[in-house]
Amino acid sequence: MIKKITPWIVFFLLIALLVIGFNLKDNMSRHISNIMKAQVPTDLSIAKGSLIDSLYNYSENGLNYEITFLEFGTTGCVACRKMEQVMQEVKLQFPEKVNVVFINVSFKENLSLMMLFGVSAIPTQILLDKSGKEYFRHTGYFSLSEISKKFDDMPINK
């Protein structure tokens, strides 16, 4: 009789563990979401505007770049690793024109920047003109030839 009960006990234990696991996952997701919300300023437009102006508005801050190439990703993602090669090529081919900036979203200090730009998937590329205004966004791998075309599509800043 014990042999017949043992499979049922194992079955119910597995079901109980699955239920507990799903509850822990949901609680952890809510906790991470609350942490991320707490780190983002309440008025995103003001925070984003002042951050962009101080870092990437080359008309204001005196740097000579025409474009900012923001790459949001991590070092553990396959497509992000492919984008590392593209970023290196962009740096080599457009050293005076394009400021290439890698933002590792796995670092806690970059979560607020990710939220400010509304990045929800990686890799994400964002191109800013010389006044810091976004003019292009792409998610996923983006080849050097494709991104070079987007550099040429940059709106003229006056």
Side-chain angles (χ1 to χ4, degrees), residues 6-28:
T6 305
W8 285 107
I9 291 173
V10 171
F11 174 75
F12 285 118
L13 284 174
L14 286 174
I15 295 297
L17 287 173
L18 282 172
V19 169
I20 291 169
F22 282 121
N23 284 333
L24 287 173
K25 179 187 157 281
D26 289 343
N27 288 338
M28 186 60 96

CSV table of all heavy atoms in Angstrom, one decimal, residues 6-28:
chain,number,residue,atom,x,y,z
A,6,THR,N,3.1,6.5,-2.6
A,6,THR,CA,4.3,7.2,-2.9
A,6,THR,C,4.3,8.1,-4.1
A,6,THR,O,4.6,9.2,-4.1
A,6,THR,CB,5.6,6.3,-2.9
A,6,THR,OG1,5.6,5.6,-1.6
A,6,THR,CG2,6.8,7.1,-3.0
A,7,PRO,N,3.8,7.5,-5.3
A,7,PRO,CA,3.7,8.3,-6.5
A,7,PRO,C,2.7,9.5,-6.3
A,7,PRO,O,3.0,10.6,-6.8
A,7,PRO,CB,3.2,7.4,-7.6
A,7,PRO,CG,3.6,6.0,-7.1
A,7,PRO,CD,3.6,6.1,-5.6
A,8,TRP,N,1.7,9.3,-5.6
A,8,TRP,CA,0.7,10.4,-5.3
A,8,TRP,C,1.3,11.5,-4.5
A,8,TRP,O,1.1,12.7,-4.7
A,8,TRP,CB,-0.6,9.8,-4.7
A,8,TRP,CG,-1.4,9.1,-5.7
A,8,TRP,CD1,-1.6,7.7,-5.8
A,8,TRP,CD2,-2.1,9.7,-6.8
A,8,TRP,NE1,-2.4,7.4,-6.9
A,8,TRP,CE2,-2.7,8.6,-7.5
A,8,TRP,CE3,-2.3,11.0,-7.3
A,8,TRP,CZ2,-3.5,8.8,-8.7
A,8,TRP,CZ3,-3.1,11.2,-8.4
A,8,TRP,CH2,-3.7,10.1,-9.1
A,9,ILE,N,2.0,11.1,-3.5
A,9,ILE,CA,2.7,12.1,-2.6
A,9,ILE,C,3.7,12.9,-3.4
A,9,ILE,O,3.7,14.1,-3.4
A,9,ILE,CB,3.4,11.4,-1.4
A,9,ILE,CG1,2.3,10.8,-0.5
A,9,ILE,CG2,4.3,12.4,-0.7
A,9,ILE,CD1,2.9,10.0,0.6
A,10,VAL,N,4.5,12.2,-4.3
A,10,VAL,CA,5.4,12.9,-5.1
A,10,VAL,C,4.7,13.9,-6.1
A,10,VAL,O,5.1,15.0,-6.3
A,10,VAL,CB,6.3,11.9,-5.9
A,10,VAL,CG1,7.1,12.6,-6.9
A,10,VAL,CG2,7.2,11.1,-4.9
A,11,PHE,N,3.6,13.4,-6.6
A,11,PHE,CA,2.8,14.2,-7.6
A,11,PHE,C,2.3,15.5,-6.9
A,11,PHE,O,2.4,16.6,-7.4
A,11,PHE,CB,1.6,13.4,-8.1
A,11,PHE,CG,0.7,14.2,-9.0
A,11,PHE,CD1,1.0,14.6,-10.3
A,11,PHE,CD2,-0.6,14.6,-8.5
A,11,PHE,CE1,0.2,15.3,-11.0
A,11,PHE,CE2,-1.4,15.3,-9.2
A,11,PHE,CZ,-1.1,15.7,-10.5
A,12,PHE,N,1.7,15.4,-5.7
A,12,PHE,CA,1.2,16.5,-5.0
A,12,PHE,C,2.3,17.4,-4.5
A,12,PHE,O,2.1,18.7,-4.5
A,12,PHE,CB,0.3,16.1,-3.8
A,12,PHE,CG,-1.0,15.6,-4.2
A,12,PHE,CD1,-1.4,14.2,-4.0
A,12,PHE,CD2,-1.9,16.4,-4.9
A,12,PHE,CE1,-2.7,13.8,-4.4
A,12,PHE,CE2,-3.2,15.9,-5.3
A,12,PHE,CZ,-3.5,14.6,-5.1
A,13,LEU,N,3.4,16.9,-4.1
A,13,LEU,CA,4.6,17.7,-3.7
A,13,LEU,C,5.1,18.6,-4.9
A,13,LEU,O,5.4,19.7,-4.8
A,13,LEU,CB,5.7,16.9,-3.2
A,13,LEU,CG,5.5,16.4,-1.8
A,13,LEU,CD1,6.7,15.4,-1.4
A,13,LEU,CD2,5.5,17.5,-0.8
A,14,LEU,N,5.1,17.9,-6.1
A,14,LEU,CA,5.5,18.7,-7.3
A,14,LEU,C,4.5,19.8,-7.6
A,14,LEU,O,4.9,20.9,-8.0
A,14,LEU,CB,5.7,17.7,-8.5
A,14,LEU,CG,6.9,16.8,-8.5
A,14,LEU,CD1,6.8,15.8,-9.7
A,14,LEU,CD2,8.2,17.7,-8.6
A,15,ILE,N,3.2,19.5,-7.5
A,15,ILE,CA,2.2,20.5,-7.8
A,15,ILE,C,2.4,21.7,-6.8
A,15,ILE,O,2.3,22.9,-7.1
A,15,ILE,CB,0.8,19.9,-7.7
A,15,ILE,CG1,0.6,18.9,-8.8
A,15,ILE,CG2,-0.3,21.0,-7.7
A,15,ILE,CD1,0.7,19.5,-10.2
A,16,ALA,N,2.6,21.3,-5.5
A,16,ALA,CA,2.8,22.4,-4.5
A,16,ALA,C,4.0,23.2,-4.8
A,16,ALA,O,4.0,24.4,-4.6
A,16,ALA,CB,2.9,21.7,-3.1
A,17,LEU,N,5.1,22.6,-5.2
A,17,LEU,CA,6.3,23.4,-5.5
A,17,LEU,C,6.1,24.3,-6.7
A,17,LEU,O,6.6,25.4,-6.7
A,17,LEU,CB,7.5,22.4,-5.8
A,17,LEU,CG,8.0,21.7,-4.5
A,17,LEU,CD1,9.1,20.6,-4.9
A,17,LEU,CD2,8.7,22.7,-3.6
A,18,LEU,N,5.4,23.8,-7.7
A,18,LEU,CA,5.1,24.6,-8.8
A,18,LEU,C,4.2,25.9,-8.4
A,18,LEU,O,4.5,27.0,-8.9
A,18,LEU,CB,4.3,23.9,-9.9
A,18,LEU,CG,5.2,22.9,-10.8
A,18,LEU,CD1,4.3,22.1,-11.7
A,18,LEU,CD2,6.1,23.7,-11.6
A,19,VAL,N,3.2,25.7,-7.6
A,19,VAL,CA,2.4,26.8,-7.2
A,19,VAL,C,3.2,27.8,-6.4
A,19,VAL,O,3.2,29.0,-6.6
A,19,VAL,CB,1.2,26.3,-6.3
A,19,VAL,CG1,0.5,27.4,-5.6
A,19,VAL,CG2,0.2,25.5,-7.2
A,20,ILE,N,4.1,27.3,-5.5
A,20,ILE,CA,4.9,28.2,-4.7
A,20,ILE,C,5.9,28.9,-5.6
A,20,ILE,O,6.1,30.1,-5.4
A,20,ILE,CB,5.7,27.4,-3.6
A,20,ILE,CG1,4.7,26.9,-2.5
A,20,ILE,CG2,6.8,28.2,-3.0
A,20,ILE,CD1,5.3,25.8,-1.6
A,21,GLY,N,6.5,28.2,-6.6
A,21,GLY,CA,7.4,28.9,-7.5
A,21,GLY,C,6.8,30.0,-8.3
A,21,GLY,O,7.3,31.1,-8.4
A,22,PHE,N,5.6,29.8,-8.8
A,22,PHE,CA,4.9,30.8,-9.6
A,22,PHE,C,4.6,32.0,-8.7
A,22,PHE,O,4.7,33.2,-9.1
A,22,PHE,CB,3.6,30.3,-10.2
A,22,PHE,CG,3.9,29.5,-11.5
A,22,PHE,CD1,3.5,28.1,-11.6
A,22,PHE,CD2,4.6,30.0,-12.5
A,22,PHE,CE1,3.7,27.4,-12.7
A,22,PHE,CE2,4.8,29.3,-13.7
A,22,PHE,CZ,4.4,28.0,-13.8
A,23,ASN,N,4.2,31.8,-7.4
A,23,ASN,CA,3.9,32.9,-6.5
A,23,ASN,C,5.1,33.7,-6.2
A,23,ASN,O,5.1,34.9,-6.2
A,23,ASN,CB,3.2,32.4,-5.2
A,23,ASN,CG,1.8,32.0,-5.4
A,23,ASN,OD1,1.1,32.5,-6.3
A,23,ASN,ND2,1.3,31.1,-4.6
A,24,LEU,N,6.3,33.0,-6.0
A,24,LEU,CA,7.5,33.7,-5.8
A,24,LEU,C,7.9,34.5,-7.0
A,24,LEU,O,8.4,35.6,-6.9
A,24,LEU,CB,8.6,32.7,-5.4
A,24,LEU,CG,8.5,32.1,-4.0
A,24,LEU,CD1,9.6,31.0,-3.9
A,24,LEU,CD2,8.7,33.1,-3.0
A,25,LYS,N,7.8,34.0,-8.2
A,25,LYS,CA,8.1,34.7,-9.4
A,25,LYS,C,7.3,35.9,-9.6
A,25,LYS,O,7.8,37.0,-9.9
A,25,LYS,CB,7.9,33.8,-10.6
A,25,LYS,CG,8.2,34.4,-12.0
A,25,LYS,CD,7.8,33.5,-13.1
A,25,LYS,CE,7.6,34.3,-14.4
A,25,LYS,NZ,6.3,34.9,-14.5
A,26,ASP,N,6.0,35.8,-9.3
A,26,ASP,CA,5.1,37.0,-9.4
A,26,ASP,C,5.5,38.1,-8.4
A,26,ASP,O,5.5,39.3,-8.7
A,26,ASP,CB,3.6,36.6,-9.3
A,26,ASP,CG,3.1,35.8,-10.5
A,26,ASP,OD1,3.7,35.9,-11.5
A,26,ASP,OD2,2.1,35.2,-10.3
A,27,ASN,N,5.7,37.7,-7.2
A,27,ASN,CA,6.1,38.6,-6.1
A,27,ASN,C,7.5,39.3,-6.5
A,27,ASN,O,7.6,40.5,-6.3
A,27,ASN,CB,6.2,37.9,-4.8
A,27,ASN,CG,4.9,37.5,-4.2
A,27,ASN,OD1,3.9,38.1,-4.6
A,27,ASN,ND2,4.8,36.6,-3.3
A,28,MET,N,8.4,38.5,-7.0
A,28,MET,CA,9.7,39.1,-7.4
A,28,MET,C,9.6,40.1,-8.5
A,28,MET,O,10.2,41.1,-8.5
A,28,MET,CB,10.7,38.0,-7.8
A,28,MET,CG,12.1,38.5,-8.0
A,28,MET,SD,12.8,39.2,-6.5
A,28,MET,CE,13.7,37.9,-5.9
